[in-house]
Amino acid sequence: MRSKPVRPVLVVIAHGSRDPRHAATVHALVRRVRSLRPGLRVETGFLDFTIPSVHGVLESLAAEGVRDVVALPLLLTRAFHAKADIPAVLRDAPPQLRIRQADVLGPSPLLLAALERRLYEAGLTPADKSSTGVVLASAGSSDPEAIAVIADIAREWWHTGWCAVRPAFASASLPRTEDAVRELRALGCERVAVAPYVLAPGFLPDRIARGAAEADVLADVLGPAPEVARVLLERYDEARLPVPAALGA
């Protein structure tokens, strides 16, 4: 009887932070991923500040005899970390590993569902949508592609029935969260909510929270929401698909 092919190990690559809440949240998300896909081996490595490092995880897997890995950036947009840092780390991996880099998590309808989940957990209801303005507050980036994606998500989310949705950024870009809150007040929205489009607590999410001081509702970070875990598995499955042959090959 033919044995089943071994599934690639999923290595989740997180940014890392000096804030211990960051690693705790990442590990909670990974536990949820494991619960949704029993039998899939999932490991976690961090780019900075936290152990184990990505390189250390890959070295350990190679030493065990693992050959196939899907490296999944725990990032919401394709900015510097996804385009430069992570590929550089993977190029330095043990040569016996066959590594495919999965795409970043966003954008995804599941992430919009997770954002709404967090807003409802913070006290809103679906009946509040038409009278509530939402600040989609992200960490920020100097990468114009990443900024454009956040603006596109805000427009898409607005079309689902919110009074208005405005993007905001905790660093590198404008407007800041507090400015977007005031803009929505000026538009006449009955209430204003801030939805952090970030995965885990830390320095920039804390800045978002301070900027939400004049808002009526502040949602929690996305964290281990079940929708986020499902996106991770979607990206893993996409990365496992055969690469299409080039036309004319």
Side-chain angles (χ1 to χ4, degrees), residues 157-199:
W157 203 14
W158 171 57
H159 287 302
T160 67
W162 296 99
C163 173
V165 180
R166 293 289 185 272
F169 307 95
S171 68
S173 309
L174 296 173
R176 294 286 181 257
T177 301
E178 53 268 34
D179 298 324
V181 168
R182 293 176 189 130
E183 180 186 351
L184 291 172
R185 289 270 187 235
L187 279 175
C189 296
E190 187 175 314
R191 68 186 65 78
V192 176
V194 174
Y197 190 59
V198 293
L199 287 166

Side-chain angles (χ1 to χ4, degrees), residues 83-105:
K83 294 177 179 179
D85 283 354
I86 291 174
V89 170
L90 298 182
R91 282 194 297 270
D92 195 36
Q96 61 266 46
L97 291 177
R98 294 186 291 263
I99 302 177
R100 292 194 181 192
Q101 182 176 332
D103 203 357
V104 297
L105 303 185

Side-chain angles (χ1 to χ4, degrees), residues 1 4 12 74 76 88 124 135 181 191 231 234-235 238:
M1 187 169 59
K4 291 183 179 180
V12 175
L74 197 61
L76 295 172
L124 293 179
V135 177
V181 168
R191 68 186 65 78
V231 176
E234 282 188 358
R235 298 293 180 257
E238 291 163 0

Side-chain angles (χ1 to χ4, degrees), residues 5 9 23 33 42-43 54 71 85-86 105 121 126 132 146 161 189-190 194 200-201 205 208 211 216 230 239 246:
V9 174
V33 171
V42 188
E43 301 291 342
V54 178
D85 283 354
I86 291 174
L105 303 185
E121 289 171 350
T132 301
C189 296
E190 187 175 314
V194 174
I208 290 171
D216 301 292
R230 287 168 57 196

